[in-house]
Structures are given as structure tokens and as C-alpha cells.
Amino acid sequence: MSERPSHRFSVVICVYTEDRWDDILAAVDSVRNQSLPALETLLVVDHNAALLERLGKEFKESAAHGEGVRVLANAGPRGLSAGRNTGIAAARGEFVAFLDDDAVAERDWLRYFAEGYDDRLVMAVGGRTMAAWASGRRPVWFPEEFDWVVGCTYRGLPRGKVRVRNVLGGNASFRRSAFDASGGFATGIGRDGDKRPLGCEETELCIRLAKAVPDAVLLIDDRAVIHHKVPAVRERFGYFRTRAYAEGLSKALVAKSVGADKGLESERRYTTRVLPAGVVRGLRDAALGRRGGVGRAGAIVTGVAAAAGGYVVGSVRARGGGATFSSGPIAAEPVMGGTSG
């Protein structure tokens, strides 16, 4: 693969708790070790003064060696969407990549992103997110069709380098100009620390981007791999059910923003083709005496029911309120930490 010096990436990592200190450092190290060096890494701290100060001290010294880590305070309301918007506003690169604070990127992650942008119509490139289970292996009852529950690539997504409706936010990149055209991430949709695990903010943004730039191309290249930690609490069935319900709530907000036709376009294929096939596969495994088959089939049925319930509740709530959709990235200035370059 040839060098692409013109592809200058700002990598944004949103953080919120000191409990993930070692994970945050590992995420930063994985960016530092990229075969295509990042222009800068932006750590955006979500309303946590102690973590902001600690990270500022940690990377003040490293900045003196030209390692390009900046620490910022979230300039908007609490939550992942506003944190990402803060990073976007401060980014100096032509491209902005997002990495979860409990994930590590493989060495060629940015290089594969950069390949996608050789086509000027490409406005976003996502990658493949692999689960790193705390227990060391996937729970036998956990269906691959629901790996999105733990923030990972799931069975049913196309493989290879393909055009998609939306990228997945924890492993994604955008042209900086995409945000100028469509605005930033919608606040009121995504995660807020450890509260109810909402999502879909990247789905809403990508649909809005496609409307603002009709010839825009969005890709997933599954060679751009990150490994996402799945803590023990997220391996439990209770979290699975709660996350599926929250997804339904989020999808209702997306449908309100962009319309049900676009907001649920991919989900219809997923629920009518991918999930029924998963149930059949689980029951077949059970009939063949393989462990977890019945559990996987039951989890799919439960997940669908929980998401559907969340969607109904979310739709009712959305009629009287809903998410606040930003018209552009929130202005931000670097706070704490050093800069380089």
C-alpha cells in the first residue's frame, strides 16, 4: 500500500470515567502505532473534572515529544454526541476518525480508511469491530446477529469493502467537509455515560448527510479493524434485553428526524431476513445437539420483542418532544493537555 501523506486524520476518542484509565491509554497507544500516522489524537472528556485534569497531566509531558495528543473538555451538554461534536470542531485534519475509549485499533486501521477516500465522492468510511469478551469467549447463548448490542460488527452486515447506508460510530471516519454540509451529531439520541444505553446517533447523521450531499458515498471496509472490550456486565442477558429496548427507543427518534422510510430501511431487511435465519440456525444447532442453540434462538426472539417495545414507547414520547438535532459542530477550544505540530 502506498503512502498517502495528504490524508491527514484527526482521531477523536471520547472519554468519561477514570474506571477506563488503562483502556484510554491503550486506545491512544494504538493510534500512535498506526502505519499511517495520525495528525493528532483528541481526547474529549465528558464533564469529569478529575479525569480532565489527570489526562491533561498525563499528556502534557508526551506533547513535549511531538506526539500530538490534545485533551479537551466537552463544550456541549453531557453525552457522546456533544463530545464528538467538540472533537470535530477542534480537529485540524481533513478527515476525522472516531475510536471508542475501550477499543484498540489494528496497525493499518487509518491506512485502510485512507484508501477509501481516494474516491472524492466518499464522505465516510467505517470498519469492522471485533468483540474482546471479558470472559475470553462469546457466551453460548449470545447470537452473532445481535453483536451490535455490545458495539460490534454483527452477522447480517455485508463483508468486504461495500457501500452502506450508515457507518457504526465507534469505528468510523468522515471527511471534515461532511460535517460542514450536514451538521454534527444529534444530541439527545446517543449515550450519556453509564445511563440507559441509547444509540443510533451515527445512523441519523449518515442519513442526514446523504440528504445534504445526494451523491455522497459511505463505505465499510472490514479490513479496518478495531478490537472492542466487552465487560462482564455486558455479557449478561439483562444487559442484552435492556440494550435492545434502548435501541428501539433510539430508532423511534431517528424515524422522527429523517422519516420512517429512511430511518428503518436497513432494519426491515435485518428483521425479515437476517433474524429469522438466525432463529432457524439456532434451532438447527439445538437439534444437532450443539450447545446454546435454543438460547440463541430465544435471545433473538427476545431481542426483537424488546426493540419493538422500545420503538413503540419511543414513538409515543417523540410526539411530544425528542432529540435536539444540532445544525453544526459545537465550537470548542482545547482545554488542559498539550498540543504539538
Side-chain angles (χ1 to χ4, degrees):
M1 289 178 288
S2 60
E3 292 294 331
R4 290 177 169 80
S6 63
H7 287 152
R8 291 155 55 91
F9 282 85
S10 297
V11 178
V12 175
I13 303 174
C14 294
V15 303
Y16 71 98
T17 176
E18 289 184 88
D19 293 342
R20 292 187 176 180
W21 180 258
D22 290 339
D23 295 335
I24 294 168
L25 298 187
V28 172
D29 282 344
S30 75
V31 177
R32 284 172 166 165
N33 292 324
Q34 288 296 299
S35 59
L36 179 66
L39 172 67
E40 60 185 352
T41 301
L42 306 176
L43 291 173
V44 183
V45 183
D46 193 16
H47 297 270
N48 184 329
L51 179 58
L52 181 70
E53 181 178 5
R54 186 178 180 187
L55 285 171
K57 291 178 179 177
E58 176 75 19
F59 291 106
K60 184 176 181 179
E61 295 180 6
S62 66
H65 295 88
E67 294 174 342
V69 179
R70 290 195 284 161
V71 181
L72 319 175
N74 180 359
R78 187 181 300 275
L80 180 59
S81 291
R84 286 174 173 166
N85 289 341
T86 296
I88 293 164
R92 298 181 297 201
E94 181 185 358
F95 306 94
V96 182
F98 297 95
L99 179 66
D100 278 344
D101 64 344
D102 54 354
V104 293
E106 291 191 358
R107 178 171 170 77
D108 291 324
W109 178 60
L110 289 181
R111 188 180 295 279
Y112 286 126
F113 278 171
E115 282 190 13
Y117 293 111
D118 287 344
D119 181 344
R120 299 299 300 177
L121 294 179
V122 172
M123 300 298 285
V125 183
R128 184 170 183 81
T129 301
M130 307 294 292
W133 302 94
S135 62
R137 62 181 181 178
R138 170 188 300 277
V140 294
W141 60 267
F142 203 114
E144 293 181 15
E145 292 82 358
F146 274 78
D147 277 6
W148 55 262
V149 163
V150 291
C152 295
T153 301
Y154 55 91
R155 182 193 288 267
L157 283 179
R159 299 298 301 268
K161 187 175 183 179
V162 293
R163 189 168 182 172
V164 293
R165 179 194 67 177
N166 64 275
V167 296
L168 304 180
N171 178 12
S173 64
F174 295 82
R175 287 190 190 273
R176 180 63 178 76
S177 58
F179 302 110
D180 298 330
S182 63
F185 288 92
T187 59
I189 279 188
R191 283 181 178 265
D192 178 0
D194 290 319
K195 295 183 180 179
R196 177 170 284 165
L198 299 173
C200 295
E201 65 277 8
E202 65 274 6
T203 300
E204 192 276 339
L205 171 64
C206 289
I207 295 173
R208 188 158 27 96
L209 172 60
K211 287 184 176 181
V213 186
D215 60 351
V217 173
L218 287 71
L219 299 175
I220 282 182
D221 185 340
D222 63 11
R223 299 173 301 171
V225 176
I226 70 168
H227 298 269
H228 184 257
K229 291 185 69 173
V230 181
V233 68
R234 296 187 182 181
E235 295 185 13
R236 299 172 186 166
F237 188 73
Y239 179 83
F240 176 92
R241 186 176 56 241
T242 299
R243 177 68 184 89
Y245 177 78
E247 184 75 0
L249 292 174
S250 301
K251 283 288 188 284
L253 294 177
V254 172
K256 179 191 175 186
S257 171
V258 300
D261 286 346
K262 284 293 184 183
L264 300 177
E265 187 176 47
S266 296
E267 288 72 15
R268 290 191 183 94
R269 176 188 174 277
Y270 173 73
T271 55
T272 58
R273 298 183 186 180
V274 176
L275 295 184
V279 172
V280 171
R281 190 179 303 108
L283 295 177
R284 185 181 64 229
D285 286 348
L288 294 173
R290 296 169 182 163
R291 293 180 63 229
V294 171
R296 289 191 295 275
I300 291 174
V301 173
T302 300
V304 171
Y311 183 82
V312 171
V313 172
S315 297
V316 172
R317 291 178 180 174
R319 292 171 190 164
T324 300
F325 300 103
S326 56
S327 59
I330 300 170
E333 292 295 330
V335 179
M336 302 294 293
T339 62
S340 66

